[in-house]
Amino acid sequence: MARADLLVSLVRASAEGDRGRVRKATEAIIAEERAKNHHVLADRLTRAVANGAESPRAAFVVHGSAWRRFATELVPRRRLEDLVLSDANRAACRDLIEEQRRASVLRAHSLEPRHRVLLVGPPGNGKTTLAEAIAEALSVPFIVVRYETMIGSYLGETANRLKRVVDYARTTPCVLFFDEFDAVAKERGDTHETGEIKRVVTSLLMQVDGLPSYTVTVAATNHPELLDRAVWRRFQLRLSLDPPSERGLARYLEKFGRHMGGGLGHAPAKLAARLGPVSYAEAEEFCLDVKRRFALGTGGVGMKAAVTATLKLWEERGRVVAE
């Protein structure tokens, strides 16, 4: 059964003839039923509203599988506890998750939980991983927008495809993730951009504004300078994910050693110093290389030897890149 406050809001909005509030309340009820795995009821509610709509403006989209051409729904695996984050970023994420989990308490005080996050930083430093970890912590699907199928060449095509994905996310508690956000949210004042891109940005901002608070929207970009100025104020949390410091890298390697069931045979701080300035993605690849070497040499190659051999190869790779 849907929450009493949602039902009261729906009845009041209907009595007052406020279609916008009716839509929001109904979407919230549908989302709550989906969260409880009451998919049959949620689908019936969606169809009932669509069939009873008096005008195209008031109609709901009946969600089939069409939106899946433009986004991928994943089961999140990464955990927030496994990530190496700054204290400020970790605290911000925990606050967001707490607000989402206790949204009913906030609503009792006429407040809504924060649900829009902008992640900024160089590639390979955990933006996608953090978005996935937020979804895992909230136990909701992780929906990743696919630009290769989303962006079309005809007038209005991209905006219409984007709307399909957003309309689905509107009725399903989830984390909706836009990677490379500057691809669809570029500065509209750029004279080199086409009018179509500007219309996409305008449509995107309106649709993001209309998403309910149980849909957590996470956008990531490597080029914050390219984002439209109006984009920034839409996001309640703006987190910067920087490359790891030597100390942060040592913490990451230490975590990896514990995950492998023991030490690495080398002090994490010394390993971090020898690896030099790398991204978290590169650090993960180094650890996977060690894991492969150790697995293939089981019984003959210990962890220390696997780390030493892998480190030599990485140092050689670093010299090749430098040249």
Side-chain angles (χ1 to χ4, degrees), residues 293-307 309:
R293 186 176 294 273
F294 178 72
L296 293 174
T298 299
V301 178
M303 178 58 69
K304 183 175 182 179
V307 171

Side-chain angles (χ1 to χ4, degrees), residues 246-247 249-251 253-254 266-275:
E246 195 170 295
R247 182 179 178 184
L249 183 56
R251 286 170 55 200
L253 294 169
E254 186 177 4
H266 298 262
K270 290 184 178 180
L271 268 181
R274 290 186 64 180
L275 278 175

Side-chain angles (χ1 to χ4, degrees), residues 99-272:
E99 289 175 22
Q100 286 289 325
R101 287 174 174 170
R102 304 184 65 194
S104 58
V105 177
L106 292 176
R107 292 190 181 108
H109 292 81
S110 300
L111 296 168
E112 291 291 332
R114 289 175 293 178
H115 61 108
R116 293 193 290 266
V117 185
L118 180 62
L119 305 178
V120 176
N125 287 294
K127 297 186 291 296
T128 301
T129 303
L130 179 55
E132 182 182 350
I134 291 173
E136 193 278 336
L138 295 175
S139 301
V140 297
F142 183 48
I143 298 178
V144 181
V145 175
R146 297 168 52 198
Y147 296 132
E148 71 274 15
T149 56
M150 173 77 70
I151 298 177
S153 56
Y154 296 104
L155 183 66
E157 193 173 32
T158 302
N160 287 335
R161 291 172 175 177
L162 178 63
K163 187 176 185 303
R164 291 191 183 190
V165 176
V166 171
D167 278 344
Y168 175 75
R170 187 191 299 277
T171 58
T172 305
C174 63
V175 169
L176 179 61
F177 181 58
F178 293 87
D179 199 5
E180 306 293 345
F181 194 51
D182 47 277
V184 289
K186 285 186 177 180
E187 172 59 58
R188 284 170 290 182
D190 188 347
T191 57
H192 299 290
E193 289 298 342
T194 64
E196 174 65 2
I197 287 295
K198 295 176 183 179
R199 282 187 288 272
V200 169
V201 175
T202 301
S203 174
L204 172 66
L205 295 180
M206 292 175 63
Q207 292 185 54
V208 167
D209 280 342
L211 282 170
S213 59
Y214 51 76
T215 300
V216 179
T217 304
V218 182
T221 180
N222 305 328
H223 301 285
E225 72 281 0
L226 298 180
L227 293 179
D228 188 89
R229 284 166 288 182
V231 167
W232 291 90
R233 71 175 182 83
R234 259 73 180 187
F235 290 90
Q236 301 134 325
L237 281 179
R238 306 163 193 169
L239 308 181
S240 178
L241 299 183
D242 300 316
S245 62
E246 195 170 295
R247 182 179 178 184
L249 183 56
R251 286 170 55 200
Y252 182 91
L253 294 169
E254 186 177 4
K255 278 178 176 284
F256 171 68
R258 288 201 300 268
H259 176 73
M260 292 297 292
L264 297 174
H266 298 262
K270 290 184 178 180
L271 268 181

